[in-house]
Amino acid sequence: MPFLLMENWNYNHIPDKSLIITLVALTLPLLSSSQDLQRINLVRIKEPVAVSMDRNGSILMADKWGNINRISKNGDMELNYSPEKNGRVTLLEGWTTLDILVFYESFQSVTLLDRFLAPISSIDLAPHVGFGRLATYNYESNIWVIDDTDFSLKLLDTSLNKITINTPFNLILDPDNYEIAFAREYQNLLFISDLKTGILIFDNLGNYLKTLPVKEVTYFGFVDNDIYFVSGSELIFQDIYSTKEKRIEVPTAKYYLASNNRLFLFSKDWLTIYNY
């Protein structure tokens, strides 16, 4: 929690009252926008490249060798999946449906796992898109794909095995200055983070709605009606239907996950779990 360092004020000079009032006024917003973090566990991990949370509050983490671990909300290792063919996981999604989606940009494929991390199927995206930058689930177990080749958002209907939605990006993003980093569907809305522009929001038919003007967001998540993301040293929770927000001062980490009362911070070698 931020504070003003005042140990050097222990002397006889009586400070000006206006100065005290000014300092108090400057301090109040900081105090009201952050909370104390209580560390409850520290778990040794190995070089995470993608993280997610399932509907039970367990953590899913992929390492740089392609292994996927499921970790309990208290930090206990529960399950492990080691693929037959090693590849770097680009995106991991465990919340949207009961299945877990694993997207490999290098393979241009999606692997679906069940809740026990057993493989269900693999979907080759190459017949449907030019080059998939990102792929993520929608609530009907179809797959949103961001296609770099024609600069568009597509929905692959897995039951029909064809593209049923195609939304061009050229009127939304600058084709010469964009960097899409993450995508996730939540409450029938699709959120896409472009590092140059902000977090774009689309409806479940792929229609563009608006942009949250927060740049350089590489990962975001959701708690109730809030979208959360990191800006500077703060984890910001912003209501997706209003301007209401709260901010928490957090240590530096590579990835952040949050639930209603718990934070998970991932560094190269450690998962730190906090209550907040």
Side-chain angles (χ1 to χ4, degrees):
M1 178 180 295
F3 61 95
L4 292 175
L5 194 61
M6 296 184 179
E7 62 264 38
N8 292 329
W9 281 30
N10 187 21
Y11 57 95
N12 293 327
H13 173 69
I14 299 176
D16 185 274
K17 290 184 179 179
S18 63
L19 176 60
I20 296 176
I21 293 171
T22 301
L23 288 171
V24 170
L26 289 172
T27 307
L28 285 175
L30 295 175
L31 293 174
S32 63
S33 62
S34 62
Q35 296 174 250
D36 288 324
L37 300 179
Q38 178 187 1
R39 196 178 81 179
I40 62 172
N41 205 353
L42 189 64
V43 182
R44 186 81 178 186
I45 58 175
K46 293 182 179 179
E47 303 198 40
V49 297
V51 298
S52 185
M53 182 181 292
D54 69 19
R55 288 176 175 264
N56 296 317
S58 294
I59 302 306
L60 300 166
M61 185 200 76
D63 64 29
K64 75 172 187 177
W65 299 277
N67 303 302
I68 298 174
N69 293 300
R70 193 179 82 187
I71 307 169
S72 78
K73 61 183 178 181
N74 296 317
D76 301 315
M77 291 290 180
E78 296 179 329
L79 293 170
N80 173 268
Y81 166 70
S82 296
E84 294 181 1
K85 182 171 63 172
N86 290 340
R88 187 181 180 92
V89 175
T90 308
L91 188 145
L92 186 61
E93 177 54 62
W95 177 273
T96 308
T97 72
L98 294 177
D99 298 334
I100 298 161
L101 178 143
V102 187
F103 170 60
Y104 301 90
E105 180 188 3
S106 58
F107 298 151
Q108 288 293 284
S109 69
V110 167
T111 295
L112 303 180
L113 309 176
D114 67 18
R115 62 191 181 95
F116 300 108
L117 301 189
I120 300 171
S121 63
S122 181
I123 300 171
D124 183 11
L125 298 179
H128 307 286
V129 301
F131 182 83
R133 171 64 59 191
L134 282 178
T136 192
Y137 248 151
N138 87 337
Y139 277 100
E140 296 177 334
S141 297
N142 298 317
I143 298 173
W144 291 109
V145 185
I146 295 166
D147 190 345
D148 267 2
T149 303
D150 64 359
F151 197 43
S152 67
L153 168 67
K154 293 181 168 68
L155 183 68
L156 172 61
D157 189 311
T158 54
S159 61
L160 299 175
N161 196 33
K162 68 177 184 178
I163 299 296
T164 56
I165 292 174
N166 190 334
T167 302
F169 279 134
N170 57 348
L171 297 179
I172 305 168
L173 293 172
D174 181 351
D176 298 318
N177 187 32
Y178 77 98
E179 191 174 350
I180 293 175
F182 189 66
R184 187 177 166 194
E185 185 173 301
Y186 188 74
Q187 294 188 3
N188 285 321
L189 298 171
L190 177 64
F191 298 77
I192 299 174
S193 177
D194 172 46
L195 301 186
K196 307 295 184 180
T197 305
I199 300 175
L200 287 66
I201 304 177
F202 298 79
D203 67 17
N204 61 354
L205 297 177
N207 298 308
Y208 170 72
L209 300 177
K210 64 178 182 178
T211 297
L212 301 178
V214 287
K215 300 179 181 180
E216 301 298 327
V217 173
T218 57
Y219 183 89
F220 55 82
F222 299 91
V223 176
D224 297 328
N225 287 338
D226 290 340
I227 181 172
Y228 66 81
F229 50 87
V230 171
S231 179
S233 63
E234 293 181 313
L235 185 63
I236 301 173
F237 294 79
Q238 181 173 324
D239 192 297
I240 59 179
Y241 303 109
S242 72
T243 58
K244 181 182 177 182
E245 69 172 37
K246 65 178 178 180
R247 297 168 179 251
I248 300 174
E249 290 281 339
V250 290
T252 300
K254 184 176 182 181
Y255 299 108
Y256 301 78
L257 288 175
S259 63
N260 281 310
N261 60 359
R262 194 156 289 186
L263 293 179
F264 304 85
L265 274 61
F266 299 80
S267 65
K268 178 182 176 182
D269 299 307
W270 298 99
L271 163 60
T272 310
I273 305 175
Y274 296 92
N275 280 336
Y276 73 97

